[in-house]
Amino acid sequence: MENTMCAKGKYINIGDEGFRSIRNSEYVDKSELIGFINSCLDTTQKLICVSRPRRFGKSFATKMLCAYYSRGCDSLELFQDLRIAENASFWEHLNKYDVLYLDITLFLSTMKQNAQLVQAMEAAIIEDLGEAYPEAAGEHTLVDALRKINDSTGRKMILIIDEWDAMFRECKGRDEILDRYILLLRSLFKSSLTDRLFAAVYMTGILPIKKYGHESAVSDFYEYSMVEPRPLQNYIGFTQDEVKSLCERFHMDFRMMKTWYDGYQVGDICIYNPKSVMESILRRKYSNYWTKTETYEALRNYIDMNFDGLKDAVIDMLGGVACEVDTGSFQNDMTSMRSRDDVLTLLIHLGYLAYDEENRTVSIPNREIKEEFIRAVKNGGRKELMEAVLRSDALLSATWAMDAEKVAEIIDAIHNEETAPAFYNNEQALRNVIKTAYLSSIDYYARMEELPAGKGYADIVFWPKNGGNYPAIIVELKWNKSENAAIEQIKERKYQQALSGYKGDILLVGVSYHTKTKKHTCAIEKAAAGKIS
């Protein structure tokens, strides 16, 4: 196939400027995705749909693919130092295809969302094709324009559709628009025509493709989602090794990066939110970046849905518990919620929950997302969830006041509620209850976690946020033992070493649960940093 020059357009062969700007910034090499797509060209696996949450690099990938495949470019310099250059297929497909790139969100933001939206979108694409290939000019349908180009050139295109499902998200209930959009997709993806026109189709979206109704027009695609990403799990976000490398290069604390942005695990691969990692490096600050691109209202609305077990699942996950989920009933849209499992599965696809495919459980992945859950609960309509937050506020105040009796009383109340973990029979279960009880600490403390300390592990350590006037807290838990023994263990094992570098006061909190009385007891002492005797 000859790499003859061709005109660049708005949609056809848009060039490599997008990927060039990415390479001019700090770039984490995800180019091996190209090798996977090369292996799918002109095969039955060539229809590829990749669904990811917002800000997880979907558009970065499409810009990379445009730069690599597009005729009319000389993109060698952009790829020759990347891993894909070592792939045997690299030279065979570099800049050898006409690439038609369609960003559906761009059409939605620049065109009137009326009944003629899809026709206007189709006409704009045909006009652009006609400037590059005059034989396509004047055609009334996109598929006819593509047929004309194929008849004239004998070449297959690569079609890239970014945010293909944006039409369904933005035009919910606008059946006339959606029906016309589906007719357009159906005309492009008839199997015999697809084989003739396209060497590959690569689509991105937030949700997987619905398997019934309107979206059945694109049901022949191979899907790679947050629930079933293999073998593309390395391209969901940043891997742990990639984040470690970035932290070393920019002198960032990897442990803090992990606390804030890790938590999406596929098999043995840890995945980090790329948007947030790069923002934290750019700004030299760990904070909530990804969720600031959205409002918490959507999360709040889903949490407020009155499905059996949803309230308990949210409280348990805020306390660090993983909850079972059945992802099979989810209908791959944002409106057909029928059960707790549907809501939890949607939140997996939106990036608010991490999915453990081996154990079929969900959990809140990291501190960044936990902050968003707390905000959604505090401002939501679920009275029982709000009560849990208010009680957590009271518990934190009682701890600061060193009111051990009040602390034990509040923990008793939380334990006795149905939202407590079902199997409250060991120290790990007690630890989960304590984490749930202190969920309001996220407003004041940078970390709430088990940390290596001295001769063992402190059960839970609370490290205050910079600039805060609140004491650090070390909690030691006991089962059928004295709360004072817990305090002594903190001292003997030098758990304060977990707070190395901290200069303020430290509260030592011992909590014990007694199975005979089914009551908690508590002891609290104050110590200056580094002076625990």
Side-chain angles (χ1 to χ4, degrees), residues 83 94 102 119 122 244 261 271 356 371 415 458 470:
R83 285 192 287 269
L94 177 64
L102 308 178
Q119 295 98 307
E122 192 170 8
K244 282 183 178 179
Y261 311 121
I271 301 298
D356 183 329
E371 283 191 355
H415 169 213
Y470 305 98

Side-chain angles (χ1 to χ4, degrees), residues 122-139:
E122 192 170 8
I125 300 168
I126 294 171
E127 180 181 2
D128 189 59
L129 290 172
E131 292 182 6
Y133 295 96
E135 59 269 32
E139 291 295 336

Side-chain angles (χ1 to χ4, degrees), residues 68 91 111 146 218 234 247 300 375 379 429 515:
Y68 173 76
W91 288 101
M111 294 181 172
L146 294 174
V218 288
N234 282 345
C247 287
R300 182 191 66 191
R375 291 190 187 96
N379 294 279
T515 54

Side-chain angles (χ1 to χ4, degrees), residues 392-441:
S392 178
D393 290 341
L395 177 63
L396 201 54
S397 295
T399 304
W400 290 335
M402 299 180 65
D403 187 342
E405 185 175 341
K406 185 67 173 178
V407 168
E409 177 186 329
I410 294 173
I411 294 173
D412 272 339
I414 294 171
H415 169 213
N416 291 329
E417 284 199 353
E418 61 182 2
T419 54
F423 302 102
Y424 195 76
N425 57 8
N426 55 42
E427 287 189 30
Q428 182 59 47
L430 175 59
R431 183 179 292 108
N432 289 334
V433 165
I434 297 301
K435 286 183 177 181
T436 300
Y438 279 103
L439 62 89
S440 285
S441 68

Side-chain angles (χ1 to χ4, degrees), residues 214-329:
H214 278 167
E215 290 86 340
S216 61
V218 288
S219 60
D220 289 336
F221 277 71
Y222 283 77
E223 295 189 72
Y224 307 92
S225 71
M226 294 297 284
V227 172
E228 295 182 342
R230 298 174 187 269
L232 301 185
Q233 63 267 32
N234 282 345
Y235 313 114
I236 294 174
F238 290 167
T239 66
Q240 184 155 285
D241 287 344
E242 289 166 345
V243 174
K244 282 183 178 179
S245 177
L246 287 168
C247 287
E248 290 173 2
R249 193 180 317 156
F250 292 96
H251 308 291
M252 301 288 285
D253 185 341
F254 172 71
R255 186 177 65 178
M256 286 292 289
M257 199 75 79
K258 185 175 181 68
T259 297
W260 273 95
Y261 311 121
D262 186 19
Y264 304 95
Q265 185 144 347
V266 180
D268 58 351
I269 297 178
C270 294
I271 301 298
Y272 291 66
N273 182 312
K275 161 72 174 176
S276 300
V277 169
M278 295 311 300
E279 283 270 358
S280 68
I281 289 173
L282 176 67
R283 299 177 186 275
R284 313 297 299 175
K285 180 183 178 182
Y286 308 98
S287 186
N288 185 324
Y289 296 114
W290 173 60
T291 51
K292 286 178 181 176
T293 65
E294 307 291 326
T295 65
Y296 67 81
E297 293 177 1
L299 177 60
R300 182 191 66 191
N301 292 339
Y302 292 123
I303 290 176
D304 286 348
M305 288 184 171
N306 190 28
F307 293 122
D308 289 342
L310 182 59
K311 172 199 70 175
D312 296 351
V314 171
I315 289 292
D316 284 350
M317 288 189 295
L318 285 170
V321 178
C323 297
E324 291 185 359
V325 64
D326 177 7
T327 62
S329 65

Side-chain angles (χ1 to χ4, degrees), residues 87-276:
N87 189 290
S89 67
F90 175 69
W91 288 101
E92 181 181 358
H93 303 290
L94 177 64
N95 300 140
K96 299 290 179 62
Y97 291 87
D98 285 320
V99 175
L100 181 59
Y101 173 74
L102 308 178
D103 180 353
I104 304 304
T105 60
L106 180 62
F107 291 115
L108 289 168
S109 64
T110 58
M111 294 181 172
K112 293 181 179 179
Q113 294 185 21
N114 55 27
Q116 285 72 47
L117 170 61
V118 177
Q119 295 98 307
M121 182 176 78
E122 192 170 8
I125 300 168
I126 294 171
E127 180 181 2
D128 189 59
L129 290 172
E131 292 182 6
Y133 295 96
E135 59 269 32
E139 291 295 336
H140 297 292
T141 66
L142 178 56
V143 69
D144 284 339
L146 294 174
R147 278 197 189 104
K148 284 288 184 69
I149 295 172
N150 178 261
D151 289 341
S152 174
T153 66
R155 295 191 297 260
K156 296 182 181 182
M157 288 187 179
I158 288 180
L159 173 61
I160 297 175
I161 306 180
D162 200 7
E163 300 283 5
W164 85 275
D165 59 341
M167 193 74 72
F168 295 98
R169 302 194 306 269
E170 299 296 326
C171 300
K172 286 184 291 188
R174 309 283 296 277
D175 288 344
E176 185 173 4
I177 295 175
L178 297 180
D179 286 344
R180 290 184 180 277
Y181 183 56
I182 283 300
L183 286 174
L184 174 61
L185 296 178
R186 184 174 289 126
S187 70
L188 294 173
F189 300 135
K190 291 179 180 178
S191 58
S192 59
L193 188 61
T194 300
D195 289 339
R196 174 183 168 186
L197 296 181
F198 304 119
V201 178
Y202 184 88
M203 297 201 311
T204 76
I206 292 178
L207 297 181
I209 299 169
K210 285 171 68 88
K211 297 299 185 184
Y212 67 96
H214 278 167
E215 290 86 340
S216 61
V218 288
S219 60
D220 289 336
F221 277 71
Y222 283 77
E223 295 189 72
Y224 307 92
S225 71
M226 294 297 284
V227 172
E228 295 182 342
R230 298 174 187 269
L232 301 185
Q233 63 267 32
N234 282 345
Y235 313 114
I236 294 174
F238 290 167
T239 66
Q240 184 155 285
D241 287 344
E242 289 166 345
V243 174
K244 282 183 178 179
S245 177
L246 287 168
C247 287
E248 290 173 2
R249 193 180 317 156
F250 292 96
H251 308 291
M252 301 288 285
D253 185 341
F254 172 71
R255 186 177 65 178
M256 286 292 289
M257 199 75 79
K258 185 175 181 68
T259 297
W260 273 95
Y261 311 121
D262 186 19
Y264 304 95
Q265 185 144 347
V266 180
D268 58 351
I269 297 178
C270 294
I271 301 298
Y272 291 66
N273 182 312
K275 161 72 174 176
S276 300

Side-chain angles (χ1 to χ4, degrees), residues 501-533:
Y502 173 69
K503 303 300 183 183
D505 290 336
I506 303 173
L507 294 181
L508 316 182
V509 181
V511 177
S512 181
Y513 179 69
H514 306 275
T515 54
K516 287 186 178 180
T517 61
K518 299 189 183 301
K519 292 288 185 180
H520 299 80
T521 54
C522 177
I524 304 176
E525 292 185 14
K526 180 185 288 185
K531 295 184 179 180
I532 300 177
S533 59

Side-chain angles (χ1 to χ4, degrees), residues 19 27-41 48-50 52 56-66 68-69 79 82-85 87 89-90 160 200 202-204 224 229-237 242:
F19 188 56
Y27 177 65
V28 174
D29 188 351
K30 296 293 182 180
S31 64
E32 288 176 312
L33 174 63
I34 295 170
F36 171 79
I37 297 174
N38 284 349
S39 71
C40 297
L41 294 173
I48 300 166
C49 184
V50 175
R52 297 284 182 270
F56 266 70
K58 296 189 300 294
S59 294
F60 274 38
T62 60
K63 290 175 182 178
M64 176 184 71
L65 298 178
C66 285
Y68 173 76
Y69 287 112
F79 293 97
L82 301 180
R83 285 192 287 269
I84 184 57
N87 189 290
S89 67
F90 175 69
I160 297 175
Y202 184 88
M203 297 201 311
T204 76
Y224 307 92
R230 298 174 187 269
L232 301 185
Q233 63 267 32
N234 282 345
Y235 313 114
I236 294 174
E242 289 166 345

